[in-house]
Amino acid sequence: MTKKLFAALVLASLLGCANMDHTTLMPDPVTTPPSNSATLKDMPFPFGAAVNASLLRSNASYKALVVKEFSSITAENAMKFGTLHPAESTYNWTDADEIVALAQANGKRIHGHTLNWYKSLPTWVTNFQGDTQAWENLLKTHIQTVVGHFKGKVASWDVVNEAFEDDGTYRNSIWVQKLGTDYIARAFQYARQADPDALLFYNDYGHEYSTAKRTAILNLVTSLKTRGIPIDGLGLQMHTRYNQTDANISAAITSAVATGLKVHISELDIALNPDNNQSLTYTASLADQQAAKYKSIVKMYYAIPKAQQFGITIWNVTDGDSWIPVEYNRPDWPLPFDRNYQRKAAYQGILDGVK
Ligand code: 9MR
């Protein structure tokens, strides 16, 4: 072996180490980019990601990938109540405005998430003392201030997020406790008043694994429509797993389409380690099964009426910034990009879904 060849081999192996997956210390087996130059922006419907404000600020590779690949942007956390409205008379627009500015500068649609949720509430809300009227005013003021601030910039909102338990009963959230379940209808009305042009969504998870929950959600949105409450779309979060059946996913999508609303697959990710196996490693076989599941979801979605295709949004960008390993304290690889910002087999699966 020549000295030059030896040096080249050493360099290649060092680069290989830099490419290692931090969770498993195994090289990612599927980092080969697809041969064509298409990006997810070229999909025949909007394709988005939930983005993290501090990563956009601090990580140039992350930011470049977001700018390059997506036509729609959702703020992962920056538009939640606790971030935007930390004290009763304080609004903090910094993170959200930065995301909006980046999206606008690059011609991307912005989907707002979320005006009302049981989680990510600041303590001034959870400790709030007031009668029904005061709670109603709090709800209305928050929604109208936020929607008003982003009027003309944010194209659509998740107005209410995750109002149901998996068994189809209403979640006993602070909003239900203080205002009863019909606050949901008023939340949509308040949002419409603040920006008549924004599309308004109800967003939830579990349509594909709980028939009871799916039925409850469909009943809610159908009754809102019948009553003339302004609702334009239904968000299926679709935090799913590689071994979820196509039949279940199809039932979730088909029943959403039957409402006549626009359908947003709003938080897609496909877990490879749903059983929380601490020693699982990422293999080519798992990568291929994940790619196949991304492909079948995209294919089913692409088959729905064009007018109802609001788009597909993945929840986070790469396996390195996914919420799943953090939340469940396990190794997992749920997204179409690996932690080195490279396209995985799943990426090709998404492109193949619209072929
Ligand atoms: O990914 C989000 C994570 O960073 C936050 O800590 C968490 C609580 O605000 O919310 C996560 O995003 C959730 C989304 O807002 C609603 N659907 C479930 C998502 C994953 O938990």
Side-chain angles (χ1 to χ4, degrees):
M1 193 184 303
T2 65
K3 265 190 189 161
K4 254 191 189 162
L5 180 58
F6 180 69
L9 284 174
V10 169
L11 184 65
S13 88
L14 282 175
L15 285 174
C17 286
N19 216 29
M20 274 180 156
D21 182 297
H22 301 299
T23 315
T24 61
L25 293 179
M26 289 285 288
D28 183 334
V30 192
T31 52
T32 328
S35 51
N36 60 49
S37 59
T39 73
L40 297 174
K41 278 199 296 222
D42 306 318
M43 293 285 282
F45 44 78
F47 204 97
V51 302
N52 181 289
S54 54
L55 279 176
L56 282 174
R57 219 173 276 139
S58 64
N59 186 324
S61 308
Y62 176 87
K63 183 176 172 177
L65 189 63
V66 167
V67 169
K68 178 177 174 194
E69 292 283 357
F70 302 104
S71 52
S72 181
I73 291 293
T74 303
E76 182 186 15
N77 292 310
M79 293 188 187
K80 289 174 180 172
F81 203 131
T83 313
L84 280 184
H85 195 173
E88 187 165 3
S89 51
T90 308
Y91 287 83
N92 175 7
W93 307 110
T94 314
D95 285 3
D97 282 351
E98 273 185 40
I99 291 173
V100 168
L102 178 80
Q104 284 191 317
N106 292 282
K108 300 181 194 304
R109 179 180 77 182
I110 305 150
H111 176 69
H113 173 86
T114 170
L115 298 171
N116 178 271
W117 195 21
Y118 74 100
K119 267 189 181 167
S120 296
L121 294 171
T123 50
W124 78 266
V125 171
T126 50
N127 294 333
F128 186 77
Q129 301 295 318
D131 60 9
T132 307
Q133 192 51 52
W135 273 95
E136 187 74 24
N137 188 48
L138 187 163
L139 174 77
K140 180 178 181 181
T141 304
H142 177 77
I143 290 175
Q144 297 206 323
T145 307
V146 171
V147 175
H149 178 84
F150 295 109
K151 187 173 188 301
K153 297 177 179 168
V154 166
S156 51
W157 284 99
D158 289 333
V159 178
V160 175
N161 192 44
E162 301 175 7
F164 290 101
E165 301 281 2
D166 282 358
D167 65 2
T169 59
Y170 277 101
R171 204 183 278 284
N172 188 25
S173 70
I174 199 161
W175 307 108
V176 169
Q177 289 168 31
K178 303 297 179 184
L179 296 169
T181 56
D182 207 39
Y183 88 88
I184 293 174
R186 297 194 299 280
F188 279 86
Q189 290 171 323
Y190 296 147
R192 177 56 43 94
Q193 287 161 12
D195 183 355
D197 296 328
L199 295 174
L200 305 180
F201 284 73
Y202 175 78
N203 191 51
D204 214 328
Y205 62 88
H207 305 72
E208 71 283 9
Y209 68 74
S210 167
T211 313
K213 186 173 191 175
R214 174 166 81 224
T215 304
I217 293 166
L218 296 171
N219 287 342
L220 167 71
V221 299
T222 305
S223 112
L224 292 175
K225 272 189 84 174
T226 309
R227 289 167 61 195
I229 304 297
I231 176 168
D232 306 293
L234 180 56
L236 313 182
Q237 293 184 10
M238 203 66 77
H239 293 291
T240 190
R241 44 173 76 191
Y242 76 101
N243 53 359
Q244 180 56 272
T245 65
D246 285 353
N248 283 349
I249 293 168
S250 170
I253 295 173
T254 312
S255 60
V257 169
T259 64
L261 295 167
K262 290 187 188 298
V263 178
H264 185 197
I265 295 186
S266 56
E267 304 188 14
L268 178 63
D269 44 26
I270 302 181
L272 292 181
N273 190 10
D275 297 327
N276 290 307
N277 174 354
Q278 289 304 320
S279 55
L280 190 73
T281 56
Y282 181 62
T283 60
S285 157
L286 280 174
D288 287 345
Q289 292 177 77
Q290 182 181 54
K293 195 54 68 179
Y294 268 103
K295 178 179 173 180
S296 64
I297 292 173
V298 168
K299 193 171 174 187
M300 286 184 239
Y301 186 78
Y302 191 39
I304 77 173
K306 191 82 194 152
Q308 286 176 275
Q309 290 175 11
F310 183 74
I312 295 182
T313 297
I314 55 172
W315 203 251
N316 302 118
V317 180
T318 81
D319 290 340
D321 57 281
S322 167
W323 66 287
I324 289 178
V326 183
E327 175 76 16
Y328 299 108
N329 187 28
R330 72 184 190 215
D332 212 326
W333 307 266
L335 290 162
F337 298 92
D338 68 20
R339 59 185 60 244
N340 301 313
Y341 310 97
Q342 302 301 306
R343 297 167 172 183
K344 295 164 55 187
Y347 185 98
Q348 189 60 47
I350 293 169
L351 298 184
D352 290 348
V354 296
K355 268 189 186 154

